Amino acid sequence: MWKPDRQSKKTLYEQIADHLEQRISYGEFPPGSLLPSERKLAEQLDVNRSTVILAFAELRSMGIIESRTGSGTRVSKSKWGATPKHTPNWRRYAEGGSFLPNLPFMRKIREALTQQPSLIDFASGELAADLAPVDEIAKLMSEHKYTSYLGYDNPQGYIPLRQDLVSFLARYRGIRTTESSILITSGSQQSLYLITQCLLSPGDAVAIEDPSYCYSLPMFQSAGLRLFRLPVDQHGVRPDDIRALYKKHRIKMVFLNPNYQNPTGTVLGAERRKQVLDVASELALPIVEDEPFSLTAYEGNPPPPLKSMDTVGSVLYIGSFSKIAASGLRIGWMVAPRSIVERLADARQQMDFGLSVIPQQVAAQFLKSSHFEPHLDRLRIQLQYKRDLIIEALRKELPDLVTFTAPEGGLHLWCKLVPEVHDGKLLDEAIRKGVVFVPGSVYGSDSGFVRFTYARATAEEIGLGISGFAEALRELIDERSCLD
Ligand SMILES: Cc1ncc(COP(=O)(O)O)c(C=O)c1O
């Protein structure tokens, strides 16, 4: 993000005026469009509001912008658009299309993290740099020649990676499959996208867990799907609820995250796993098993995936490199019947001709390298350590104000706030205190929850972040009791 150069000979306001003029002339702010307010720009650029006022005055004197009391500052139409040439109404276009924007809380969190990179991040569901195998991957990249031909690859995915995944899935997840049943995707997110766009139709009813990561994705609504909830208790969803939703709404598919579920950390009980598969086969109902966290199991082996127990072929299994290695490689996979893999690979051909071959080669090297197992062992220990740190900090800072169940794997802690406070106010206050988290309402229908991701912050930041959060929460509670 551009900021004025305080060492420059040019004054701050002149630099800002030049910068805005350039962005206007490049079309970022077309004629008639609203500029950010003086206060917002001052915050973004780390300058006094009076500096922005001077910059605006300069642009106004050149006729580039116009300000009207009560309606803000706009790019002037007379100077930049008064000819037979007309700029398309980009804002209208930006609001068009069938793809819905991200949820306001998610956009606010992303904006806060971009503008204040020093925020302690309990929101991003990914590993910190010290947990990712950065050095191992750099070493592999320096040791291997990656490709001799950089043409379009198979849209189903790089064949050696699919072959390596066959052994990986057999060894770590007990899933027996073949390379022709595997589709490589840009993270599991793309698997979800392909399923919602290519296998379902607008108006179809689907069941998702409540709370669930899926709720945070307007992608489901963009596909025109009708969402029905499967409440999650301490052993996951209840199989009878699936049957009931089928009877009532003829659901077409069920989305489950059975191990260390995002956001609750819950594990689907062993008996329920069998029953879910029984219901699925009884109703010929596909189950999407989203399984990104299993290999983070802190102690012992994670429960077996539904896919490994599926004798009928009800399960579309999706996995990812993101939570066990590196989200930036964007490597995910789907194991599905051949007809589905072919259909989705064909869609990939239209969308992007498949994933870049380079990260696929890196992932394949890493999976079969001697670095993989030691990395996983270290990851599990470190994640457990960070989980313990956040729990200790919460017990110290908010013993009476939060309740939670300690997860046995994954990256997230799901906390119930004992007195309910306003989600948005709590997030704003926490950001002011230097910490960001995800309000629970993003993931489901119940209010009064918070999701903390403990994998992204450093060990030192965890205690500090929780004390900032505790201050924010206590302030809101005090404010409320003053009003009561
Ligand atoms: C349950 C679940 N599924 C899918 C994803 C998407 O992850 P990726 O596309 O990085 O694999 C996430 C990310 O947070 C997740 O928590």
Side-chain angles (χ1 to χ4, degrees):
M1 175 126 196
W2 181 86
K3 297 246 159 89
D5 177 2
R6 288 179 184 274
Q7 314 303 331
S8 161
K9 287 206 187 102
K10 244 194 206 174
T11 62
L12 291 178
Y13 90 83
E14 283 169 332
Q15 292 182 53
I16 295 172
D18 287 354
H19 173 74
L20 288 174
E21 185 184 352
Q22 194 182 49
R23 287 170 69 183
I24 291 168
S25 68
Y26 287 172
E28 183 181 337
F29 296 109
S33 65
L34 192 62
L35 290 178
S37 68
E38 290 157 355
R39 192 185 47 75
K40 190 143 196 196
L41 262 181
E43 253 172 43
Q44 282 174 358
L45 302 176
D46 262 345
V47 295
N48 284 331
R49 190 165 161 207
S50 55
T51 311
V52 177
I53 293 178
L54 280 176
F56 274 10
E58 170 102 351
L59 294 172
R60 216 177 290 119
S61 70
M62 294 192 279
I64 295 175
I65 60 171
E66 298 163 341
S67 306
R68 219 171 282 153
T69 330
S71 64
T73 302
R74 293 180 183 272
V75 177
S76 136
K77 282 196 182 142
S78 50
K79 177 109 180 178
W80 293 88
T83 56
K85 299 178 191 156
H86 294 288
T87 311
N89 186 342
W90 290 119
R91 197 169 54 81
R92 243 334 129 70
Y93 282 97
E95 285 164 3
S98 57
F99 219 74
L100 296 171
N102 276 305
L103 302 179
F105 275 143
M106 301 313 266
R107 293 208 306 252
K108 175 178 272 192
I109 291 167
R110 204 175 47 199
E111 197 181 306
L113 284 166
T114 319
Q115 282 177 8
Q116 280 173 257
S118 59
L119 278 180
I120 296 181
D121 184 359
F122 290 138
S124 307
E126 61 176 348
L127 305 178
D130 63 341
L131 299 185
V134 179
D135 294 339
E136 293 90 326
I137 286 187
K139 191 159 185 285
L140 289 172
M141 287 174 81
S142 69
E143 282 168 4
H144 292 273
K145 175 167 184 283
Y146 272 95
T147 192
S148 48
Y149 173 63
L150 274 175
Y152 294 122
D153 200 58
N154 188 325
Q156 191 181 329
Y158 180 59
I159 292 175
L161 174 59
R162 287 194 267 136
Q163 285 164 342
D164 292 334
L165 280 170
V166 169
S167 340
F168 167 86
L169 289 166
R171 170 157 183 201
Y172 291 99
R173 305 306 300 128
I175 293 173
R176 291 156 61 87
T177 186
T178 58
E179 81 217 32
S180 50
S181 307
I182 296 179
L183 173 77
I184 305 296
T185 56
S186 171
S188 16
Q189 191 86 345
Q190 195 180 39
S191 293
L192 293 172
Y193 178 70
L194 288 166
I195 292 169
T196 53
Q197 288 291 328
C198 305
L199 307 184
L200 295 163
S201 306
D204 280 351
V206 301
I208 62 177
E209 295 159 321
D210 181 16
S212 156
Y213 169 68
C214 297
Y215 268 116
S216 67
L217 305 176
M219 174 205 291
F220 282 76
Q221 283 93 344
S222 300
L225 303 177
R226 290 180 298 134
L227 301 182
F228 295 96
R229 300 183 190 126
L230 295 168
V232 172
D233 66 22
Q234 79 266 37
H235 301 296
V237 298
R238 286 180 298 266
D240 281 345
D241 290 344
I242 300 180
R243 194 179 273 108
L245 283 185
Y246 180 82
K247 278 206 184 118
K248 198 154 176 214
H249 302 288
R250 285 284 175 266
I251 49 171
K252 286 259 174 72
M253 206 174 260
V254 180
F255 290 79
L256 298 179
N257 172 200
N259 283 344
Y260 318 119
Q261 196 244 12
N262 180 4
T264 61
T266 315
V267 170
L268 182 63
E271 196 48 40
R272 289 191 187 180
R273 281 176 200 252
K274 289 191 206 126
Q275 291 165 359
V276 165
L277 287 172
D278 288 346
V279 174
S281 61
E282 179 192 320
L283 305 174
L285 189 58
I287 307 284
V288 175
E289 181 176 31
D290 184 7
E291 219 215 10
F293 305 112
S294 293
L295 293 187
T296 62
Y298 304 151
E299 278 176 42
N301 289 325
L306 296 168
K307 179 75 188 164
S308 68
M309 303 154 64
D310 173 25
T311 50
V312 179
S314 316
V315 177
L316 295 180
Y317 176 87
I318 66 185
S320 169
F321 230 48
S322 291
K323 318 293 171 176
I324 55 167
S327 46
L329 282 180
R330 304 310 299 134
I331 296 286
W333 48 87
M334 185 187 312
V335 183
R338 205 160 167 168
S339 54
I340 296 295
V341 169
E342 280 168 8
R343 162 84 175 102
L344 300 183
D346 182 68
R348 288 298 296 281
Q349 178 114 20
Q350 297 174 47
M351 283 168 62
D352 59 359
F353 286 113
L355 193 67
S356 161
V357 78
I358 306 279
Q360 299 190 69
Q361 290 178 335
V362 173
Q365 287 296 347
F366 183 56
L367 274 184
K368 60 179 176 232
S369 75
S370 58
H371 300 298
F372 184 65
E373 289 246 341
H375 158 73
L376 268 190
D377 291 342
R378 193 173 65 97
L379 175 66
R380 291 195 198 103
I381 293 169
Q382 290 292 320
L383 281 175
Q384 190 175 21
Y385 171 61
K386 288 191 176 185
R387 176 204 65 179
D388 292 346
L389 283 181
I390 199 165
I391 288 180
E392 195 185 301
L394 284 165
R395 291 210 171 117
K396 179 169 152 238
E397 300 282 347
L398 294 166
D400 43 345
L401 296 181
V402 293
T403 60
F404 49 80
T405 306
E408 292 303 323
L411 323 184
H412 313 295
L413 185 72
W414 184 241
C415 273
K416 174 134 187 75
L417 304 179
V418 174
E420 266 193 37
V421 292
H422 187 279
D423 266 358
K425 284 191 185 159
L426 182 59
L427 181 61
D428 287 343
E429 199 49 49
I431 291 175
R432 272 194 282 277
K433 303 269 185 274
V435 53
V436 67
F437 63 90
V438 187
S441 58
V442 160
Y443 300 105
S445 54
D446 269 355
S447 57
F449 287 87
V450 163
R451 190 196 80 172
F452 292 119
T453 299
Y454 43 85
R456 184 72 177 80
T458 62
E460 296 70 42
E461 286 173 333
I462 288 178
L464 284 174
I466 292 301
S467 59
F469 174 82
E471 259 181 60
L473 179 62
R474 287 195 190 281
E475 271 181 33
L476 280 189
I477 293 171
D478 289 349
E479 193 180 286
R480 217 184 48 177
S481 48
C482 289
L483 293 176
D484 284 349

